[in-house]
Amino acid sequence: MTRVVVTGLGAVTPVGNTTEEFLDGIFAGKVGIAPITKFDASETGVAVAGEVKGFDPAARVGKRESRKMDLFAQYAVHAAGEALENAGLADGFEQPDRVGVIMGNGIGGLTTIQEQVIKMHDKGPQRVSPMFVPNSIPNMLSGNVSMRYGAKGVNYTLSTACASATNAIGEAFWRIQAGKADIMITGGSEATVNEIGIAGFAALTALSTEPDPMEASKPFDLNRHGFVMGEGSGILILESLDHAQARGAKILAEVVGYGANSDAYHLTSPTPDGSGPAGSVKLALADANLKPADIDYVNAHGTATGANDAAEAKAMELVFGENNVYVSSTKGMTGHLLGAAGAIEAIASIGALLREELPVNVGLTEQDPATSGVTLVNADNRKQVAQYVLSANYGFGGHNAAIIFKKWGDA
């Protein structure tokens, strides 16, 4: 079966707008959560978010072209450009029809939707922009990346809420493994830090109302109180091993397993006994032909909501039992990027392999006894040389997805 490797990474995140900045921030415990600046959020009851800071669309997207894209697409085009440069593919592809794009997104162009609905309400339907539909529909995420970089293979965006990017990476992995493509541009993007995005999740009582950025996102902590909205994009370049080696590419990690399933349980809550999320992890292990004891680190979904953290801890107990797997959620630093969460968390997981260090579970002061079955990463146990890492994400609607990366080696 075709082996699949990672040859490029790109990131636009609340803790840095390049992969190096992002990983430096993650492994330094940098919190990218800060007071909301994009709009007056005082009436929402929510004070902080993981906003992208200092993003310049002119750098890679182009000033003129950026006007034809919602922010979620701009982030992805920018991050994809970095990933392709990182992979040594910035000059194009020898066989563009063997290069595909599969991206994950939760909500689409929400800023565009908000702006244009307000304009229609205030000024009438004749004033709606002709770019409303092209800027707001989710498939323009992969569409814009494909058009910008000349990828002529399969091209689609999938939407499975907060599992979207992990599903996208897994489907891209399987596509190369099956011999249907040589290169896949994959990951996710989201831009929902706006009035309707914050207000909508606040109405679900899902968001933290803590105004202190250092206390707002506390995955697995006894005193956690909801998730913090984040935004940005993460892009991975996946490639068949033969193709990568033939062109002398630098290999960052190997993708070895993917699993996905459904809770079939509740609109917004995971199965309380953890069986749904555990099922996707077991499928990923089976896909990789690995045992639970082989996994050294889990980058958990870890949203800092009561329902998620408790169910996810139970899921890991079901899968790993007494095996001492180390666990952390990086959302204490980035916030929750919804459909893009799995992309930047996959990059963080690969970073753990490359840097031989695990990201600390930032925000934790007292572990919730309901999650006591998992060993959380802290300052004392972070220095670990991991061989296999697993990144897992779970979404509204019962979507569960897990992907496994291996430290690169020829064996």
PDB file of all heavy atoms in Angstrom, residues 132-157:
ATOM      1  N   PHE A 132     -21.659  38.139  -3.242  1.00  0.00           N
ATOM      2  CA  PHE A 132     -22.188  37.531  -2.021  1.00  0.00           C
ATOM      3  C   PHE A 132     -22.068  36.005  -2.054  1.00  0.00           C
ATOM      4  O   PHE A 132     -21.516  35.387  -1.145  1.00  0.00           O
ATOM      5  CB  PHE A 132     -23.650  37.931  -1.813  1.00  0.00           C
ATOM      6  CG  PHE A 132     -24.346  37.125  -0.744  1.00  0.00           C
ATOM      7  CD1 PHE A 132     -23.887  37.129   0.559  1.00  0.00           C
ATOM      8  CD2 PHE A 132     -25.455  36.345  -1.055  1.00  0.00           C
ATOM      9  CE1 PHE A 132     -24.515  36.381   1.548  1.00  0.00           C
ATOM     10  CE2 PHE A 132     -26.086  35.584  -0.076  1.00  0.00           C
ATOM     11  CZ  PHE A 132     -25.612  35.606   1.222  1.00  0.00           C
ATOM     12  N   VAL A 133     -22.578  35.377  -3.098  1.00  0.00           N
ATOM     13  CA  VAL A 133     -22.557  33.915  -3.157  1.00  0.00           C
ATOM     14  C   VAL A 133     -21.131  33.378  -3.299  1.00  0.00           C
ATOM     15  O   VAL A 133     -20.712  32.511  -2.509  1.00  0.00           O
ATOM     16  CB  VAL A 133     -23.480  33.389  -4.276  1.00  0.00           C
ATOM     17  CG1 VAL A 133     -23.307  31.891  -4.450  1.00  0.00           C
ATOM     18  CG2 VAL A 133     -24.940  33.713  -3.951  1.00  0.00           C
ATOM     19  N   PRO A 134     -20.326  33.872  -4.260  1.00  0.00           N
ATOM     20  CA  PRO A 134     -18.958  33.330  -4.368  1.00  0.00           C
ATOM     21  C   PRO A 134     -18.108  33.528  -3.107  1.00  0.00           C
ATOM     22  O   PRO A 134     -17.195  32.751  -2.852  1.00  0.00           O
ATOM     23  CB  PRO A 134     -18.362  34.104  -5.548  1.00  0.00           C
ATOM     24  CG  PRO A 134     -19.536  34.553  -6.345  1.00  0.00           C
ATOM     25  CD  PRO A 134     -20.619  34.816  -5.351  1.00  0.00           C
ATOM     26  N   ASN A 135     -18.389  34.562  -2.338  1.00  0.00           N
ATOM     27  CA  ASN A 135     -17.599  34.805  -1.131  1.00  0.00           C
ATOM     28  C   ASN A 135     -18.075  34.011   0.075  1.00  0.00           C
ATOM     29  O   ASN A 135     -17.311  33.804   1.020  1.00  0.00           O
ATOM     30  CB  ASN A 135     -17.625  36.293  -0.764  1.00  0.00           C
ATOM     31  CG  ASN A 135     -16.673  37.108  -1.614  1.00  0.00           C
ATOM     32  OD1 ASN A 135     -16.014  36.589  -2.499  1.00  0.00           O
ATOM     33  ND2 ASN A 135     -16.597  38.397  -1.354  1.00  0.00           N
ATOM     34  N   SER A 136     -19.316  33.578   0.063  1.00  0.00           N
ATOM     35  CA  SER A 136     -19.874  32.981   1.276  1.00  0.00           C
ATOM     36  C   SER A 136     -19.970  31.452   1.234  1.00  0.00           C
ATOM     37  O   SER A 136     -19.984  30.819   2.285  1.00  0.00           O
ATOM     38  CB  SER A 136     -21.265  33.563   1.565  1.00  0.00           C
ATOM     39  OG  SER A 136     -22.168  33.287   0.504  1.00  0.00           O
ATOM     40  N   ILE A 137     -20.047  30.855   0.056  1.00  0.00           N
ATOM     41  CA  ILE A 137     -20.254  29.407   0.022  1.00  0.00           C
ATOM     42  C   ILE A 137     -18.974  28.668   0.437  1.00  0.00           C
ATOM     43  O   ILE A 137     -17.867  29.018   0.035  1.00  0.00           O
ATOM     44  CB  ILE A 137     -20.746  28.930  -1.357  1.00  0.00           C
ATOM     45  CG1 ILE A 137     -19.860  29.447  -2.494  1.00  0.00           C
ATOM     46  CG2 ILE A 137     -22.184  29.367  -1.571  1.00  0.00           C
ATOM     47  CD1 ILE A 137     -20.305  29.003  -3.875  1.00  0.00           C
ATOM     48  N   PRO A 138     -19.106  27.628   1.286  1.00  0.00           N
ATOM     49  CA  PRO A 138     -17.926  26.958   1.858  1.00  0.00           C
ATOM     50  C   PRO A 138     -16.971  26.357   0.844  1.00  0.00           C
ATOM     51  O   PRO A 138     -15.765  26.309   1.077  1.00  0.00           O
ATOM     52  CB  PRO A 138     -18.544  25.879   2.751  1.00  0.00           C
ATOM     53  CG  PRO A 138     -19.914  26.372   3.089  1.00  0.00           C
ATOM     54  CD  PRO A 138     -20.367  27.115   1.859  1.00  0.00           C
ATOM     55  N   ASN A 139     -17.490  25.879  -0.311  1.00  0.00           N
ATOM     56  CA  ASN A 139     -16.611  25.206  -1.269  1.00  0.00           C
ATOM     57  C   ASN A 139     -15.576  26.121  -1.886  1.00  0.00           C
ATOM     58  O   ASN A 139     -14.591  25.662  -2.475  1.00  0.00           O
ATOM     59  CB  ASN A 139     -17.428  24.560  -2.393  1.00  0.00           C
ATOM     60  CG  ASN A 139     -18.008  25.597  -3.336  1.00  0.00           C
ATOM     61  OD1 ASN A 139     -18.887  26.363  -2.949  1.00  0.00           O
ATOM     62  ND2 ASN A 139     -17.524  25.632  -4.560  1.00  0.00           N
ATOM     63  N   MET A 140     -15.768  27.451  -1.738  1.00  0.00           N
ATOM     64  CA  MET A 140     -14.770  28.374  -2.261  1.00  0.00           C
ATOM     65  C   MET A 140     -13.471  28.329  -1.468  1.00  0.00           C
ATOM     66  O   MET A 140     -12.467  28.904  -1.876  1.00  0.00           O
ATOM     67  CB  MET A 140     -15.326  29.805  -2.301  1.00  0.00           C
ATOM     68  CG  MET A 140     -16.280  30.034  -3.454  1.00  0.00           C
ATOM     69  SD  MET A 140     -15.473  29.704  -5.043  1.00  0.00           S
ATOM     70  CE  MET A 140     -16.835  30.020  -6.167  1.00  0.00           C
ATOM     71  N   LEU A 141     -13.478  27.626  -0.357  1.00  0.00           N
ATOM     72  CA  LEU A 141     -12.236  27.404   0.385  1.00  0.00           C
ATOM     73  C   LEU A 141     -11.274  26.582  -0.470  1.00  0.00           C
ATOM     74  O   LEU A 141     -10.160  27.019  -0.775  1.00  0.00           O
ATOM     75  CB  LEU A 141     -12.546  26.683   1.700  1.00  0.00           C
ATOM     76  CG  LEU A 141     -11.384  26.412   2.637  1.00  0.00           C
ATOM     77  CD1 LEU A 141     -10.649  27.692   2.985  1.00  0.00           C
ATOM     78  CD2 LEU A 141     -11.878  25.714   3.895  1.00  0.00           C
ATOM     79  N   SER A 142     -11.693  25.405  -0.866  1.00  0.00           N
ATOM     80  CA  SER A 142     -10.835  24.577  -1.725  1.00  0.00           C
ATOM     81  C   SER A 142     -10.753  25.163  -3.130  1.00  0.00           C
ATOM     82  O   SER A 142      -9.714  25.074  -3.794  1.00  0.00           O
ATOM     83  CB  SER A 142     -11.350  23.142  -1.780  1.00  0.00           C
ATOM     84  OG  SER A 142     -12.669  23.098  -2.291  1.00  0.00           O
ATOM     85  N   GLY A 143     -11.836  25.780  -3.584  1.00  0.00           N
ATOM     86  CA  GLY A 143     -11.860  26.359  -4.923  1.00  0.00           C
ATOM     87  C   GLY A 143     -10.804  27.434  -5.113  1.00  0.00           C
ATOM     88  O   GLY A 143     -10.067  27.434  -6.110  1.00  0.00           O
ATOM     89  N   ASN A 144     -10.714  28.344  -4.159  1.00  0.00           N
ATOM     90  CA  ASN A 144      -9.722  29.414  -4.266  1.00  0.00           C
ATOM     91  C   ASN A 144      -8.302  28.884  -4.175  1.00  0.00           C
ATOM     92  O   ASN A 144      -7.408  29.350  -4.889  1.00  0.00           O
ATOM     93  CB  ASN A 144      -9.967  30.463  -3.172  1.00  0.00           C
ATOM     94  CG  ASN A 144     -11.011  31.486  -3.581  1.00  0.00           C
ATOM     95  OD1 ASN A 144     -10.854  32.182  -4.577  1.00  0.00           O
ATOM     96  ND2 ASN A 144     -12.079  31.576  -2.804  1.00  0.00           N
ATOM     97  N   VAL A 145      -8.066  27.898  -3.304  1.00  0.00           N
ATOM     98  CA  VAL A 145      -6.730  27.312  -3.191  1.00  0.00           C
ATOM     99  C   VAL A 145      -6.356  26.603  -4.497  1.00  0.00           C
ATOM    100  O   VAL A 145      -5.250  26.753  -5.010  1.00  0.00           O
ATOM    101  CB  VAL A 145      -6.661  26.345  -1.994  1.00  0.00           C
ATOM    102  CG1 VAL A 145      -5.362  25.535  -2.009  1.00  0.00           C
ATOM    103  CG2 VAL A 145      -6.793  27.107  -0.678  1.00  0.00           C
ATOM    104  N   SER A 146      -7.305  25.853  -5.043  1.00  0.00           N
ATOM    105  CA  SER A 146      -7.058  25.139  -6.291  1.00  0.00           C
ATOM    106  C   SER A 146      -6.737  26.100  -7.430  1.00  0.00           C
ATOM    107  O   SER A 146      -5.774  25.905  -8.183  1.00  0.00           O
ATOM    108  CB  SER A 146      -8.289  24.298  -6.650  1.00  0.00           C
ATOM    109  OG  SER A 146      -8.180  23.764  -7.946  1.00  0.00           O
ATOM    110  N   MET A 147      -7.533  27.159  -7.559  1.00  0.00           N
ATOM    111  CA  MET A 147      -7.330  28.118  -8.637  1.00  0.00           C
ATOM    112  C   MET A 147      -6.020  28.879  -8.479  1.00  0.00           C
ATOM    113  O   MET A 147      -5.289  29.098  -9.458  1.00  0.00           O
ATOM    114  CB  MET A 147      -8.503  29.099  -8.697  1.00  0.00           C
ATOM    115  CG  MET A 147      -9.777  28.480  -9.245  1.00  0.00           C
ATOM    116  SD  MET A 147     -11.135  29.668  -9.422  1.00  0.00           S
ATOM    117  CE  MET A 147     -11.682  29.816  -7.720  1.00  0.00           C
ATOM    118  N   ARG A 148      -5.720  29.284  -7.250  1.00  0.00           N
ATOM    119  CA  ARG A 148      -4.510  30.074  -7.036  1.00  0.00           C
ATOM    120  C   ARG A 148      -3.246  29.279  -7.368  1.00  0.00           C
ATOM    121  O   ARG A 148      -2.299  29.804  -7.973  1.00  0.00           O
ATOM    122  CB  ARG A 148      -4.459  30.548  -5.581  1.00  0.00           C
ATOM    123  CG  ARG A 148      -3.132  31.210  -5.150  1.00  0.00           C
ATOM    124  CD  ARG A 148      -2.760  32.414  -6.046  1.00  0.00           C
ATOM    125  NE  ARG A 148      -3.752  33.418  -5.988  1.00  0.00           N
ATOM    126  CZ  ARG A 148      -3.736  34.452  -5.129  1.00  0.00           C
ATOM    127  NH1 ARG A 148      -2.739  34.561  -4.274  1.00  0.00           N
ATOM    128  NH2 ARG A 148      -4.685  35.345  -5.150  1.00  0.00           N
ATOM    129  N   TYR A 149      -3.224  27.986  -6.999  1.00  0.00           N
ATOM    130  CA  TYR A 149      -1.980  27.231  -7.105  1.00  0.00           C
ATOM    131  C   TYR A 149      -1.983  26.185  -8.214  1.00  0.00           C
ATOM    132  O   TYR A 149      -1.020  25.439  -8.364  1.00  0.00           O
ATOM    133  CB  TYR A 149      -1.641  26.612  -5.748  1.00  0.00           C
ATOM    134  CG  TYR A 149      -1.437  27.692  -4.703  1.00  0.00           C
ATOM    135  CD1 TYR A 149      -2.355  27.863  -3.662  1.00  0.00           C
ATOM    136  CD2 TYR A 149      -0.365  28.573  -4.794  1.00  0.00           C
ATOM    137  CE1 TYR A 149      -2.186  28.883  -2.722  1.00  0.00           C
ATOM    138  CE2 TYR A 149      -0.186  29.590  -3.868  1.00  0.00           C
ATOM    139  CZ  TYR A 149      -1.103  29.741  -2.836  1.00  0.00           C
ATOM    140  OH  TYR A 149      -0.936  30.758  -1.930  1.00  0.00           O
ATOM    141  N   GLY A 150      -3.050  26.132  -9.011  1.00  0.00           N
ATOM    142  CA  GLY A 150      -3.055  25.284 -10.199  1.00  0.00           C
ATOM    143  C   GLY A 150      -3.187  23.805  -9.936  1.00  0.00           C
ATOM    144  O   GLY A 150      -2.673  22.988 -10.709  1.00  0.00           O
ATOM    145  N   ALA A 151      -3.887  23.440  -8.850  1.00  0.00           N
ATOM    146  CA  ALA A 151      -4.131  22.026  -8.555  1.00  0.00           C
ATOM    147  C   ALA A 151      -5.371  21.571  -9.312  1.00  0.00           C
ATOM    148  O   ALA A 151      -6.476  22.059  -9.053  1.00  0.00           O
ATOM    149  CB  ALA A 151      -4.324  21.833  -7.047  1.00  0.00           C
ATOM    150  N   LYS A 152      -5.224  20.634 -10.243  1.00  0.00           N
ATOM    151  CA  LYS A 152      -6.319  20.271 -11.140  1.00  0.00           C
ATOM    152  C   LYS A 152      -6.937  18.908 -10.836  1.00  0.00           C
ATOM    153  O   LYS A 152      -7.766  18.414 -11.595  1.00  0.00           O
ATOM    154  CB  LYS A 152      -5.831  20.305 -12.593  1.00  0.00           C
ATOM    155  CG  LYS A 152      -5.428  21.710 -13.045  1.00  0.00           C
ATOM    156  CD  LYS A 152      -5.067  21.745 -14.522  1.00  0.00           C
ATOM    157  CE  LYS A 152      -4.735  23.168 -14.960  1.00  0.00           C
ATOM    158  NZ  LYS A 152      -4.396  23.231 -16.410  1.00  0.00           N
ATOM    159  N   GLY A 153      -6.540  18.311  -9.721  1.00  0.00           N
ATOM    160  CA  GLY A 153      -7.151  17.055  -9.314  1.00  0.00           C
ATOM    161  C   GLY A 153      -8.439  17.293  -8.557  1.00  0.00           C
ATOM    162  O   GLY A 153      -9.075  18.336  -8.695  1.00  0.00           O
ATOM    163  N   VAL A 154      -8.836  16.314  -7.749  1.00  0.00           N
ATOM    164  CA  VAL A 154     -10.065  16.434  -6.979  1.00  0.00           C
ATOM    165  C   VAL A 154     -10.034  17.717  -6.156  1.00  0.00           C
ATOM    166  O   VAL A 154      -8.988  18.146  -5.658  1.00  0.00           O
ATOM    167  CB  VAL A 154     -10.256  15.191  -6.074  1.00  0.00           C
ATOM    168  CG1 VAL A 154      -9.180  15.131  -4.994  1.00  0.00           C
ATOM    169  CG2 VAL A 154     -11.631  15.173  -5.442  1.00  0.00           C
ATOM    170  N   ASN A 155     -11.212  18.341  -5.994  1.00  0.00           N
ATOM    171  CA  ASN A 155     -11.276  19.646  -5.339  1.00  0.00           C
ATOM    172  C   ASN A 155     -12.612  19.737  -4.616  1.00  0.00           C
ATOM    173  O   ASN A 155     -13.655  19.867  -5.255  1.00  0.00           O
ATOM    174  CB  ASN A 155     -11.123  20.741  -6.408  1.00  0.00           C
ATOM    175  CG  ASN A 155     -11.558  22.118  -5.932  1.00  0.00           C
ATOM    176  OD1 ASN A 155     -11.645  22.381  -4.732  1.00  0.00           O
ATOM    177  ND2 ASN A 155     -11.836  22.996  -6.884  1.00  0.00           N
ATOM    178  N   TYR A 156     -12.583  19.627  -3.283  1.00  0.00           N
ATOM    179  CA  TYR A 156     -13.830  19.809  -2.544  1.00  0.00           C
ATOM    180  C   TYR A 156     -13.584  20.208  -1.103  1.00  0.00           C
ATOM    181  O   TYR A 156     -12.492  20.003  -0.557  1.00  0.00           O
ATOM    182  CB  TYR A 156     -14.740  18.581  -2.624  1.00  0.00           C
ATOM    183  CG  TYR A 156     -14.275  17.312  -1.944  1.00  0.00           C
ATOM    184  CD1 TYR A 156     -14.571  17.049  -0.614  1.00  0.00           C
ATOM    185  CD2 TYR A 156     -13.585  16.333  -2.664  1.00  0.00           C
ATOM    186  CE1 TYR A 156     -14.190  15.860  -0.009  1.00  0.00           C
ATOM    187  CE2 TYR A 156     -13.197  15.144  -2.066  1.00  0.00           C
ATOM    188  CZ  TYR A 156     -13.498  14.913  -0.733  1.00  0.00           C
ATOM    189  OH  TYR A 156     -13.116  13.736  -0.129  1.00  0.00           O
ATOM    190  N   THR A 157     -14.613  20.806  -0.512  1.00  0.00           N
ATOM    191  CA  THR A 157     -14.608  21.190   0.897  1.00  0.00           C
ATOM    192  C   THR A 157     -15.653  20.361   1.603  1.00  0.00           C
ATOM    193  O   THR A 157     -16.780  20.244   1.134  1.00  0.00           O
ATOM    194  CB  THR A 157     -14.942  22.688   1.056  1.00  0.00           C
ATOM    195  OG1 THR A 157     -13.945  23.466   0.382  1.00  0.00           O
ATOM    196  CG2 THR A 157     -15.004  23.089   2.521  1.00  0.00           C
TER     197      THR A 157
END
